[in-house]
Amino acid sequence: MTSRRSSRDRAEGSAKLVGGRPGGTSRRQAARNPEAVLQAAVDAINGGDYETGLKLAEQVLRVGGHRVAAEVAAHAALHLDTDAAISALTRLNKVQRNDPALLNDLGGVLCQAKRFEDAETRFRQSLKLRPRHSATLANLGQALLGQKKHEGAAAVFAEAVEIDPSSPSGHSGLGAALEGLDRFEDAVAAHCQALALEPDNRIYQDNLEHAYLQAGTGQAERERMYRACLQVDSDDVATTMALGGVVYDQRRFDEAKAIFERVLELGPSEKQEARSRLALNEIAFIQGDYETAWKNYVWRLKTGDVEVRHHPFAQWQGEDLRGKTILIWEEQGLGECLMFLQFVPIMLARGARIVYETKPRFAPVVADAFPEFEIMLVQDPPASVGRSDIDFQSSVGDLGQWLWPAFSTRQPQPLPRFASKMSEAFRTRYLHETCAEPGTKLVGLAWRSVVSRLGPTKSLRLGDLGEILAIPRTVFVDLQYGDTRKEIAKAEQAFGCTIYHDETFDQRLDLVSFFAQVGALDAVMSISNTTLHVAGSIGVPTAGLLSTVPMWRWEFDRDKVIWYPSVRLFRQAAPGDWSAPVREALA
């Protein structure tokens, strides 16, 4: 926010021009000797007493409309808490009507209170009195951003930086607005301009980093940013970790390993240590050192990103499970649970009895896939408390440490457990409701992820699938969570395709229907998100579109994936460019 940055300078400068202190502070004295009362106001402000400064300056303003009094009063008001500042500036605007600077100040504090519509009104009133004022335009842009009016905000910020190209906040605001419009490359350019104007501003550095992540590009540029910061402070743990991450993203694994080992030498916080050790663990996975990787995968439970369940039983460490009962509890997301649940048939074959703790939405799916399980719903305190028939407990993600060798050499099951008996009914309904011709294929699509740091990097635009959407005799089925209506309408118009969205359920709430829906399809094309795991667990032929950033579960350079035999992987050749994997998947 740029609420009158020069107010303080003008007020303190005026103090040097006025005379001695008044003997009192009555309204009559303010009228008789306004300069003296105003000097007392400035002295109070300089001493940190903003309430007294405001009161004195406001007295001068009320008796004579003194211009400097308005500036001093506004300056004092802006140092009060938000509610008091709004009240004071509202009074000042009633006294000094049609003052563009006061209107701008009031809009600024309304923005701080997240009253963005009221703020927009004040900024527009100010601009009528002072057209094309760059700082007020930038503030109006912030108010529009607060209302998610990204198109209007982009236009306002563009006008602000046209008037004042030297305004870093204007360029930064423009970048934020362009991100809201999914114009990530343009956003990067705007944030670059802001940072060029203030190279040491950490906020602008963070904004540029975020824009690069949204665009799925800029890895080399981010690396240069981090290395420049480390030239100033070589022991900055957060920056060193960020450098390790971007080097890893560029697949320079040995170098990334050395950087994360350096983090451990710098005395990181507990969470920073856990994240760094988890990064080292993922590098071990990528490099095929599974013994080290599985042994240290436990660090994910110490990052604060995973819900850890506490059950009163011994941690399973590979003991013989014949005739024993083990409680397995979920952690991470649905995709990880589907992945790791594939270890459980090995345990069942070894004579284990399984109690599986899960969230209610996943419980019916697991119960149908594994009728051998006893299902326990997540609750606090855990339902396991007081039970004497359970011998061991383990998180689902810890099973790999003990079962990976048997899993990696297994023969895939011919009938995936997660296939749904309801899928045929979904298929019949979809073909009927889309008036599909005989021989029409149903192909599911998922293209976006928002649940992690890598979400933007993994995601693409529906329009990036244009070559796929042009396939004849195909009905595409929307498997993407969230509101996709605008994207679908735009794609259908551009490519002349049909993209069916099932309005009868929400996949985030009704997993039974979601699994049935995916099982109804002839094929699925998905980025690395939950849909890819669901389709793979059911056994649907699936094209997985992967970014250049390696994720250990998909390994590094293979087109097959050990977890899901029906999935084939197609990888980006360059960051942000989906043309190659889409074209290869089409072939």
Side-chain angles (χ1 to χ4, degrees):
M1 192 58 55
T2 54
S3 296
R4 243 186 40 204
R5 292 172 293 171
S6 59
S7 290
R8 177 169 184 153
D9 294 337
R10 289 199 300 269
E12 292 184 349
S14 67
K16 300 174 183 177
L17 301 177
V18 296
R21 297 179 62 86
T25 57
S26 68
R27 190 161 183 169
R28 181 178 300 175
Q29 289 167 326
R32 185 181 304 157
N33 193 356
E35 287 79 8
V37 176
L38 193 57
Q39 179 67 62
V42 171
D43 290 344
I45 291 171
N46 289 341
D49 186 353
Y50 298 107
E51 291 184 359
T52 297
L54 170 64
K55 181 178 180 181
L56 294 172
E58 190 173 351
Q59 286 180 346
V60 175
L61 181 63
R62 286 182 179 279
V63 298
H66 201 291
R67 175 62 247 171
V68 176
E71 296 174 356
V72 173
H75 173 73
L78 292 171
H79 283 80
L80 303 178
D81 66 69
T82 302
D83 289 340
I86 291 173
S87 177
L89 287 164
T90 300
R91 292 197 312 271
L92 295 176
N93 272 280
K94 289 179 179 178
V95 175
Q96 189 84 348
R97 294 183 180 278
N98 298 325
D99 185 318
L102 284 176
L103 288 165
N104 183 42
D105 287 337
L106 178 55
V109 292
L110 288 168
C111 265
Q112 293 173 19
K114 301 188 183 305
R115 291 171 54 181
F116 297 113
E117 292 185 14
D118 292 337
E120 178 186 352
T121 298
R122 302 308 179 192
F123 292 137
R124 292 195 184 281
Q125 290 172 343
S126 178
L127 286 167
K128 285 183 179 180
L129 299 165
R130 188 168 53 179
R132 289 178 60 80
H133 186 259
S134 62
T136 307
L137 283 166
N139 283 346
L140 173 59
Q142 294 291 346
L144 295 172
L145 281 179
Q147 300 172 73
K148 300 188 183 303
K149 296 179 178 178
H150 296 111
E151 191 168 343
V156 167
F157 281 119
E159 183 180 0
V161 297
E162 178 187 6
I163 297 167
D164 182 9
S166 66
S167 168
S169 61
H171 290 287
S172 180
L174 177 59
L178 293 170
E179 286 182 60
L181 295 170
D182 292 344
R183 292 171 54 187
F184 300 123
E185 293 81 4
D186 293 334
V188 165
H191 287 304
C192 280
Q193 187 61 41
L195 187 59
L197 291 165
E198 286 190 18
D200 297 328
N201 189 309
R202 189 61 180 262
I203 293 176
Y204 295 153
Q205 292 175 15
D206 292 345
N207 289 345
L208 178 56
E209 176 187 22
H210 183 265
Y212 276 132
L213 288 170
Q214 292 285 336
T217 59
Q219 294 170 344
E221 291 81 359
R222 285 166 51 213
E223 181 179 348
R224 284 195 291 271
M225 287 169 53
Y226 302 143
R227 291 192 183 280
C229 290
L230 290 172
Q231 288 291 325
V232 178
D233 182 1
S234 61
D235 294 340
D236 186 316
V237 175
T239 303
T240 305
M241 289 179 66
L243 175 62
V246 78
V247 169
Y248 172 91
D249 290 352
Q250 295 174 81
R251 299 177 286 191
R252 288 153 39 202
F253 302 121
D254 288 336
E255 187 178 348
K257 182 178 179 180
I259 293 171
F260 283 112
E261 288 173 343
R262 163 70 175 155
V263 171
L264 300 179
E265 297 171 356
L266 292 174
S269 69
E270 183 177 357
K271 285 188 178 181
Q272 288 172 328
E273 178 184 4
R275 292 182 191 280
S276 296
R277 291 192 183 276
L278 186 58
L280 290 168
N281 169 77
E282 294 191 4
I283 292 170
F285 270 122
I286 289 289
Q287 294 184 327
D289 183 1
Y290 297 112
E291 183 177 356
T292 298
W294 282 115
K295 187 180 300 182
N296 291 286
Y297 190 51
V298 68
W299 284 99
R300 75 199 182 282
L301 302 177
K302 301 180 181 181
T303 62
D305 299 330
V306 176
E307 180 183 356
V308 179
R309 302 291 294 163
H310 299 284
H311 295 280
F313 311 108
Q315 175 72 33
W316 184 58
Q317 297 183 353
E319 294 93 340
D320 185 0
L321 290 172
R322 191 179 311 277
K324 302 292 185 180
T325 299
I326 180 170
L327 186 155
I328 300 170
W329 46 272
E330 284 182 354
E331 38 117 342
Q332 302 185 68
L334 175 61
E336 286 81 7
C337 290
L338 287 169
M339 223 168 61
F340 295 136
L341 270 169
Q342 296 180 71
F343 290 124
V344 177
I346 301 171
M347 306 174 77
L348 292 171
R350 293 179 181 179
R353 293 189 295 268
I354 307 295
V355 178
Y356 189 76
E357 185 189 50
T358 180
K359 293 181 174 64
R361 70 175 190 140
F362 194 35
V365 177
V366 180
D368 188 54
F370 291 97
E372 309 96 322
F373 285 9
E374 175 191 340
I375 301 298
M376 178 183 292
L377 296 182
V378 171
Q379 64 181 53
D380 288 307
S384 63
V385 173
R387 289 186 56 164
S388 59
D389 60 326
I390 297 175
D391 301 288
F392 301 103
Q393 60 94 15
S394 175
S395 71
V396 68
D398 281 339
L399 300 179
Q401 180 178 352
W402 312 109
L403 300 173
W404 176 254
F407 176 78
S408 63
T409 57
R410 82 198 190 290
Q411 293 296 318
Q413 298 179 26
L415 294 174
R417 284 178 173 262
F418 287 95
S420 171
K421 300 180 183 66
M422 298 166 51
S423 291
E424 188 58 38
F426 274 76
R427 180 179 182 83
T428 300
R429 177 162 62 87
Y430 289 175
L431 291 172
H432 173 72
E433 291 185 3
T434 58
C435 302
E437 298 177 0
T440 296
K441 300 292 186 182
L442 295 178
V443 177
L445 301 175
W447 59 92
R448 187 171 62 240
S449 174
V450 298
V451 297
S452 73
R453 174 186 74 89
L454 294 177
T457 303
K458 296 191 299 181
S459 300
L460 47 76
R461 300 180 181 91
L462 185 54
D464 292 332
L465 299 176
E467 292 183 64
I468 303 295
L469 296 173
I471 297 175
R473 297 173 67 85
T474 302
V475 169
F476 298 97
V477 178
D478 176 18
L479 302 180
Q480 180 60 54
Y481 57 81
D483 187 354
T484 59
R485 288 171 294 183
K486 289 183 180 179
E487 289 177 278
I488 287 175
K490 185 176 180 181
E492 286 181 328
Q493 183 177 14
F495 303 106
C497 60
T498 297
I499 303 176
Y500 179 84
H501 178 79
D502 193 336
E503 299 281 357
T504 65
F505 72 97
D506 183 338
Q507 63 168 266
R508 293 168 294 186
L509 303 176
D510 184 356
L511 288 180
V512 171
S513 294
F514 184 49
F515 274 76
Q517 177 188 44
V518 175
L521 307 176
D522 295 292
V524 167
M525 176 171 285
S526 176
I527 63 160
S528 173
N529 66 3
T530 298
T531 298
L532 185 57
H533 291 276
V534 171
S537 71
I538 295 172
V540 176
T542 301
L545 305 179
L546 303 184
S547 70
T548 59
V549 177
M551 300 181 70
W552 70 267
R553 58 184 57 84
W554 309 127
E555 302 179 74
F556 181 35
D557 55 3
R558 297 176 53 180
D559 63 352
K560 297 287 187 180
V561 56
I562 192 169
W563 304 102
Y564 309 115
S566 70
V567 172
R568 187 179 177 193
L569 303 175
F570 302 90
R571 303 173 187 269
Q572 282 183 339
D577 183 2
W578 290 101
S579 58
V582 169
R583 189 162 47 249
E584 291 168 6
L586 181 63

